[in-house]
Amino acid sequence: MTTSYSTGTDSEARQPAPPPLLVGPTAPQEAAVPHGGGGRARAGSPRRSRQPRRTRGPHALRHRVELGFVLLATAVLYLWNLGASGWANAFYSAAAQAGSQNWAAWFFGSSDAANSITVDKPPASLWIMDLSVRIFGLSSWSILVPQALMGVATAWLLYLAVRRAAAPASGDPQLAHRAGLLAAVVMAITPVATLMFRFNNPDALLVLLMTAAGYATLRSMQDNTLRWLLLAGVFLGFGFLTKQLQVLLVVPGFAVAYLVAAPGGVGRRLLHLLGAGAAMVVAAGWWLAVVELVPANMRPYIGGSQNNSILELTLGYNGLGRLSGQETGSVGGGNGWGVPGLFRMFNNEFGGQIAWLLPSVLVLGAGLLWLGRRAPRTDSVRASVIVWGSWVLVTGLVFSFMAGIIHPYYAVALAPGIAGLAGLGGALLWQHRAQLVAAVVLAVAVAAAGFTAFGLLGGTTAYGPLLRWAVLLGALAAAAGLLLSGRFPVRILHRTTAALALAASLAGPLAYSISTASVTHSGAIPSAGPATTFGGFGGFGARGGFGQNNAAQNTPPQTLQQPGAQAGGFGGNRQGGGLGGLLGATTPSSEMVAALKSGASNYTWAAAVVGSNNAAGYQLATELPVMAVGGFNGTDPSPTLEQFQQLVAQGKIHYFIAGGTMQANSGSEAPAQIAQWVAANFQSQTIGGTTVYVLAG
């Protein structure tokens, strides 16, 4: 039997199926037929594809109200008690403070307003925070609110993208609307998304830009217009200026989707992709070109590189080094950041962040492809599955097997792909649950969500045993209801089944997201959800079980502290540790703040200290430039000992603050040499419990 995604709604057993609708944009020689309908229109009778007419009247108003409610609820989740996290990642907050005071620091992404060194990422995410601080002043809210709004915008874009694909395929504007809402909700309550849209790492902007690029790519195919594809290239280019090569993980899937499903001949499609690639290169390359062309003595040092080169940073520390584990200057490297493996996304570090619906959406995507196997080449559902599915597969596999630096919050990059597949697959397969294949796929997906949640919830005592058992039993009941609903067209059965399926699938991530929003997060390595009690994928109460416990391998090396160093927090979720402020900013005493401010106008830098997070605490407390010797890890050759000695001789640095340095497998020894030279040539003193050296004045 040929499958069509336009065979009715809840009352399909009592009403005739609606007439087939065109699906997706088609070339003139390929008139569209229903998704899965097979065949090609007779030559000479082309029909132009179109989106179905939008719902008008009370239904349109209701759709807007429902969408508004979902977006408002998302905003509440992301904004509630946001200021309690303080500076969140002080490393980026200090850079935002610097950029708000100095336009050169804004452009280059400097850690301090005196432009000593940049952060170890391009500055696109900082540009937004810097402008917010310029307008509203330096505060936790001015830094974090833009991130929350990016999360709301991401959910909205997913709604638009999924609704546009579902509308012509289903022939039901109400169902398409619900598909979009489901995608938006899944995105909003993914725990790692709740974490990162309440935090100030670059990942928030990266996810927004990648989602915008996905929407633009799909719309370019649906509308048969080049401008949307070029806009997708621009979004990807600015994504590169946010977190460099990570944005490229979605590019192959976007290109394949366009080659497979875009209207026109192969040559036309290839030319369009070349144009989009050029737009991406221009959008990213202009800033890289400026940085490379400006003489090194006229700009800050490029943090994270060993040769003061943005290209080295791109291809090394933030590029291929992340895959191989050979990041020069890293304090981890190799297996120091976890053992790579196929099930890494399900271990106790990553599982609660992202894995809740991961098996389910892969099943839904495969089901959509199978049911639409006879659809025309330009089918918009197939194109969407390729975009969202390749996003999940490529990014998930790279994250699973990369041997270099990786943190659990990186998994937020998977959230839009998962949400897109969940919304589109859940709605369209629900519409066709009367067909055995669709019912079985839905049942398997819901059961998989239940078993996954059961395992993940077994890793924490935060919710007790009731939630995990309720989720599992609800999922199994919903799966049974899905298998029966096609044979028994009873409205109450259908509605109960739908409610159970949604509740069982979303209860776990929702609980984790609420827990995430209920606590503060700060430092360099935040994590979503409640504290876990054991490693690995819990399974049925087993320790370890399905995933591998990487907790021991994922602990950064020991700290080597100099006398008088203050221990900063580890920077993860709700935990502390003595890492010398290199992963969590120090909190200076009032005496130390007063000393730094005293006569500050006479110096370029109020102080210098090893490590960017060490420097960030003092800089945010005083709003004065503090030199981060050695950059983020304290392993960059910035400045060299000779350069530092020259700055001291010129009286440009007031204090040197004793601080911790980390053991590193590679990188420059200049920061350690500077600390040793200062200790050997200047008298130490203690101010508010902190050991300092007066270098000038």
Side-chain angles (χ1 to χ4, degrees):
M1 178 179 178
T2 300
T3 301
S4 168
Y5 279 123
S6 52
T7 59
T9 59
D10 282 343
S11 57
E12 70 272 72
R14 295 185 298 274
Q15 296 180 4
L21 290 176
L22 296 175
V23 178
T26 58
Q29 69 272 20
E30 290 183 284
V33 295
H35 186 77
R40 180 181 293 188
R42 294 193 310 271
S45 59
R47 299 174 62 188
R48 185 185 179 192
S49 66
R50 59 177 175 83
Q51 289 279 325
R53 184 174 299 174
R54 292 184 179 179
T55 306
R56 300 181 183 277
H59 292 294
L61 177 60
R62 186 178 69 182
H63 289 181
R64 287 192 289 268
V65 170
E66 290 173 348
L67 174 61
F69 175 80
V70 168
L71 297 181
L72 178 61
T74 302
V76 171
L77 178 64
Y78 293 168
L79 290 168
W80 178 62
N81 200 31
L82 188 61
S85 290
W87 300 120
N89 192 333
F91 173 56
Y92 293 116
S93 293
Q97 179 271 330
S100 71
Q101 291 187 341
N102 182 284
W103 283 111
W106 176 86
F107 180 82
F108 290 107
S110 298
S111 289
D112 63 271
N115 289 299
S116 170
I117 190 171
T118 70
V119 300
D120 58 0
K121 300 290 187 296
S125 65
L126 293 175
W127 289 341
I128 297 173
M129 286 187 283
D130 295 355
L131 294 176
S132 178
V133 173
R134 276 184 179 268
I135 296 170
F136 301 106
L138 179 64
S139 71
S140 176
W141 285 92
S142 64
I143 289 172
L144 297 180
V145 167
Q147 320 306 315
L149 296 180
M150 291 176 196
V152 176
T154 301
W156 176 63
L157 284 172
L158 275 167
Y159 167 83
L160 294 178
V162 171
R163 186 195 65 180
R164 284 183 62 87
S170 65
D172 183 352
Q174 176 72 3
L175 185 74
H177 165 70
R178 290 175 177 172
L181 288 182
L182 179 57
V185 169
V186 170
M187 181 70 213
I189 66 171
T190 299
V192 70
T194 301
L195 172 71
M196 296 315 295
F197 289 123
R198 294 173 57 89
F199 211 69
N200 60 325
N201 279 16
D203 301 75
L205 180 60
L206 176 69
V207 169
L208 172 61
L209 290 170
M210 291 194 300
T211 304
Y215 169 79
T217 300
L218 290 169
R219 183 156 184 180
S220 70
M221 292 183 274
Q222 294 162 357
D223 292 355
N224 192 14
T225 56
L226 175 61
R227 65 178 180 273
W228 280 103
L229 190 64
L230 297 179
L231 188 58
V234 172
F235 288 139
L236 292 170
F238 276 93
F240 186 93
L241 294 183
T242 302
K243 213 175 177 188
Q244 296 193 302
L245 295 187
Q246 185 178 331
V247 76
L248 300 183
L249 295 180
V250 300
V251 172
F254 290 2
V256 169
Y258 196 85
L259 280 175
V260 168
V266 174
R268 179 177 183 266
R269 283 174 266 156
L270 287 172
L271 286 175
H272 284 185
L273 285 175
L274 289 175
M280 180 175 66
V281 170
V282 171
W286 68 273
W287 185 84
L288 299 179
V290 171
V291 173
E292 282 294 302
L293 292 174
V294 172
N297 62 353
M298 296 179 64
R299 59 165 172 78
Y301 185 93
I302 303 301
S305 73
Q306 296 295 306
N307 297 315
N308 197 11
S309 168
I310 188 63
L311 295 181
E312 179 202 345
L313 177 67
T314 301
L315 298 176
Y317 185 78
N318 285 335
L320 300 180
R322 298 281 171 140
L323 301 178
S324 66
Q326 303 302 313
E327 305 100 328
T328 302
S330 167
V331 296
N335 289 337
W337 301 101
V339 179
L342 182 61
F343 298 114
R344 176 186 265 178
M345 292 299 104
F346 295 90
N347 68 25
N348 81 307
E349 295 177 341
F350 285 89
Q353 316 293 304
I354 195 64
W356 305 90
L357 298 178
L358 187 52
S360 301
V361 299
L362 294 178
V363 171
L364 292 176
L368 285 176
L369 290 179
W370 173 258
L371 291 173
R373 64 193 181 279
R374 295 191 179 94
R377 179 182 63 80
T378 52
D379 177 47
S380 63
V381 174
R382 181 189 293 120
S384 296
V385 173
I386 294 173
V387 165
W388 305 124
S390 64
W391 185 324
V392 173
L393 286 173
V394 174
T395 304
L397 289 173
V398 170
F399 284 176
S400 295
F401 288 99
M402 60 189 286
I405 296 174
I406 184 170
H407 302 306
Y409 68 80
Y410 288 9
V412 70
L414 288 164
I418 291 174
L421 287 176
L424 193 64
L428 292 182
L429 291 171
W430 170 259
Q431 186 185 36
H432 293 274
R433 63 196 179 279
Q435 299 181 27
L436 180 60
V437 172
V440 169
V441 169
L442 272 178
V444 171
V446 172
F451 278 105
T452 303
F454 186 83
L456 294 174
L457 290 170
T460 180
T461 59
Y463 314 112
L466 179 61
L467 179 60
R468 68 191 300 241
W469 282 105
V471 164
L472 178 61
L473 295 177
L476 294 177
L482 286 164
L483 294 175
L484 294 173
S485 61
R487 301 177 63 87
F488 300 97
V490 181
R491 184 181 296 271
I492 187 63
L493 172 62
H494 295 177
R495 291 184 174 181
T496 302
T497 298
L500 271 177
L502 289 173
S505 300
L506 303 181
L510 177 60
Y512 259 58
S513 287
I514 293 174
S515 295
T516 301
S518 300
V519 298
T520 62
H521 296 85
S522 62
I525 312 176
S527 182
T532 55
T533 57
F534 56 82
F537 187 87
F540 288 90
R543 294 178 182 269
F546 185 52
Q548 182 168 1
N549 180 8
N550 295 337
Q553 292 88 349
N554 201 32
T555 302
Q558 294 284 330
T559 300
L560 300 178
Q561 291 188 334
Q562 298 173 1
Q566 291 185 336
F570 176 72
N573 182 20
R574 304 169 301 281
Q575 52 187 319
L579 294 182
L582 284 178
L583 291 179
T586 56
T587 302
S589 65
S590 57
E591 295 88 348
M592 191 68 223
V593 172
L596 292 174
K597 289 184 175 180
S598 178
S601 60
N602 298 323
Y603 311 100
T604 304
W605 289 275
V609 62
V610 174
S612 294
N613 271 303
N614 275 318
Y618 297 104
Q619 183 168 305
L620 289 167
T622 62
E623 299 191 41
L624 297 170
V626 176
M627 178 185 291
V629 176
F632 183 81
N633 291 322
T635 56
D636 297 344
S638 172
T640 64
L641 176 59
E642 181 181 357
Q643 291 170 336
F644 189 84
Q645 291 171 335
Q646 184 178 2
L647 293 173
V648 171
Q650 295 170 349
K652 292 187 175 183
I653 306 173
H654 192 183
Y655 291 102
F656 183 85
I657 303 172
T661 58
M662 274 189 171
Q663 296 174 336
N665 299 328
S666 58
S668 173
E669 296 181 355
Q673 293 171 350
I674 289 171
Q676 294 167 3
W677 176 78
V678 169
N681 291 276
F682 295 88
Q683 184 67 39
S684 66
Q685 60 180 273
T686 301
I687 302 177
T690 302
T691 300
V692 301
Y693 300 85
V694 180
L695 304 183

